[in-house]
Amino acid sequence: MKGTRNSSSDASRFRFAREAALIALVAGLVCHFTALRDALDGLSYDILSITSSPRQPDNFLIVYVDEKSVGELKQPPENFDRKFYAQFIDRASAAGARLIVMDKLLREAGDPESDATLARSLRASGKVLLAADRALSPEPGVITSSVALPLPLFEEAALGWGVTVVRPEMGEGGILRRFPYGTAIVPSLPWQAAKALGAPIAKRLSHPPEG
């Protein structure tokens, strides 16, 4: 009788494990091939953010051009005079900034004098990373992608560059939950910043991880 009960118990455990594995497989397939996957993926980031202890970093500053600045400086937002970017870089560098990351795309030439002023500030600072972008070139039957770099005038004067593009699904619900690392050839701007500052992950890896 004892041997019979053990055999029955083993069979029950095996059946339970098999059914659980089947349910997990079906759930995984449903999540992978439906919108539920993206919802659960976003939820995993949200739960981590809600349950973790809030951090108040005090070693970086976000500076942006707001409506007040546009009004006081009398500058059109779409064509902001680059001499003001140069002035900010000069002040931040003089104040001891370890790194300055500009997410403004500088692909088009502007006022020659202001462009030259900005290039001088970039070179004098030696601590400025610039933003690059991905340009899609649709052709019959195929879409090719290339990197749209800053103007050579700025690229050569800056510390480096990184891509700022994000995939649409990363902004589910209007919230950007993650940023791609990029690749060894086309690194992202955050990865370049981490590398320039000597972040632990950049020290461990010689190039951005996949994803």
Side-chain angles (χ1 to χ4, degrees), residues 24-111:
L25 175 62
V26 172
L29 291 174
V30 170
C31 290
H32 182 74
F33 292 104
T34 67
L36 184 61
R37 177 193 63 179
D38 294 334
L40 291 177
D41 186 47
L43 182 61
S44 67
Y45 284 92
D46 295 343
I47 291 176
L48 181 62
S49 176
I50 294 172
T51 57
S52 61
S53 301
R55 300 177 61 185
Q56 300 294 332
D58 58 2
N59 56 354
F60 74 89
L61 184 67
I62 299 177
V63 179
Y64 61 96
V65 179
D66 58 7
E67 294 182 6
K68 181 180 179 181
S69 302
V70 169
E72 291 182 352
L73 297 174
K74 297 180 173 56
Q75 294 292 313
E78 68 280 0
N79 192 26
F80 207 75
D81 195 323
R82 289 170 179 168
K83 69 180 180 183
F84 294 112
Y85 296 141
Q87 291 174 8
F88 168 75
I89 291 172
D90 293 341
R91 292 182 60 182
S93 299
R98 294 175 57 198
L99 184 69
I100 301 171
V101 180
M102 287 188 64
D103 64 355
K104 176 70 175 178
L105 297 173
L106 301 173
R107 297 182 298 178
E108 306 293 335
D111 175 74

Side-chain angles (χ1 to χ4, degrees), residues 12-208:
S12 297
R13 284 197 295 268
F14 176 76
R15 184 166 56 252
F16 174 79
R18 182 181 59 188
E19 293 174 352
L22 180 61
I23 292 173
L25 175 62
V26 172
L29 291 174
V30 170
C31 290
H32 182 74
F33 292 104
T34 67
L36 184 61
R37 177 193 63 179
D38 294 334
L40 291 177
D41 186 47
L43 182 61
S44 67
Y45 284 92
D46 295 343
I47 291 176
L48 181 62
S49 176
I50 294 172
T51 57
S52 61
S53 301
R55 300 177 61 185
Q56 300 294 332
D58 58 2
N59 56 354
F60 74 89
L61 184 67
I62 299 177
V63 179
Y64 61 96
V65 179
D66 58 7
E67 294 182 6
K68 181 180 179 181
S69 302
V70 169
E72 291 182 352
L73 297 174
K74 297 180 173 56
Q75 294 292 313
E78 68 280 0
N79 192 26
F80 207 75
D81 195 323
R82 289 170 179 168
K83 69 180 180 183
F84 294 112
Y85 296 141
Q87 291 174 8
F88 168 75
I89 291 172
D90 293 341
R91 292 182 60 182
S93 299
R98 294 175 57 198
L99 184 69
I100 301 171
V101 180
M102 287 188 64
D103 64 355
K104 176 70 175 178
L105 297 173
L106 301 173
R107 297 182 298 178
E108 306 293 335
D111 175 74
E113 184 177 346
S114 295
D115 284 357
T117 299
L118 176 56
R120 284 195 297 270
S121 294
L122 291 171
R123 184 170 285 105
S125 171
K127 302 175 182 178
V128 185
L129 290 174
L130 299 179
D133 196 8
R134 281 193 177 277
L136 298 180
S137 303
E139 299 178 3
V142 65
I143 297 179
T144 60
S145 174
S146 60
V147 180
L149 298 175
L151 286 174
L153 175 68
F154 302 133
E155 180 192 357
E156 294 169 3
L159 174 64
W161 57 266
V163 173
T164 59
V165 68
V166 295
R167 296 194 296 271
E169 63 268 22
M170 291 185 175
E172 183 71 23
I175 301 174
L176 182 62
R177 296 177 174 85
R178 54 195 169 113
F179 205 105
Y181 292 104
T183 66
I185 299 176
V186 186
S188 71
L189 191 57
W191 175 263
Q192 290 291 72
K195 184 178 178 181
L197 292 174
I201 188 174
K203 290 180 178 179
R204 293 197 307 268
L205 303 175
S206 59
H207 56 80

Side-chain angles (χ1 to χ4, degrees), residues 1-13:
M1 294 295 293
K2 184 176 180 179
T4 302
R5 283 198 300 270
N6 287 340
S7 298
S8 177
S9 177
D10 291 342
S12 297
R13 284 197 295 268

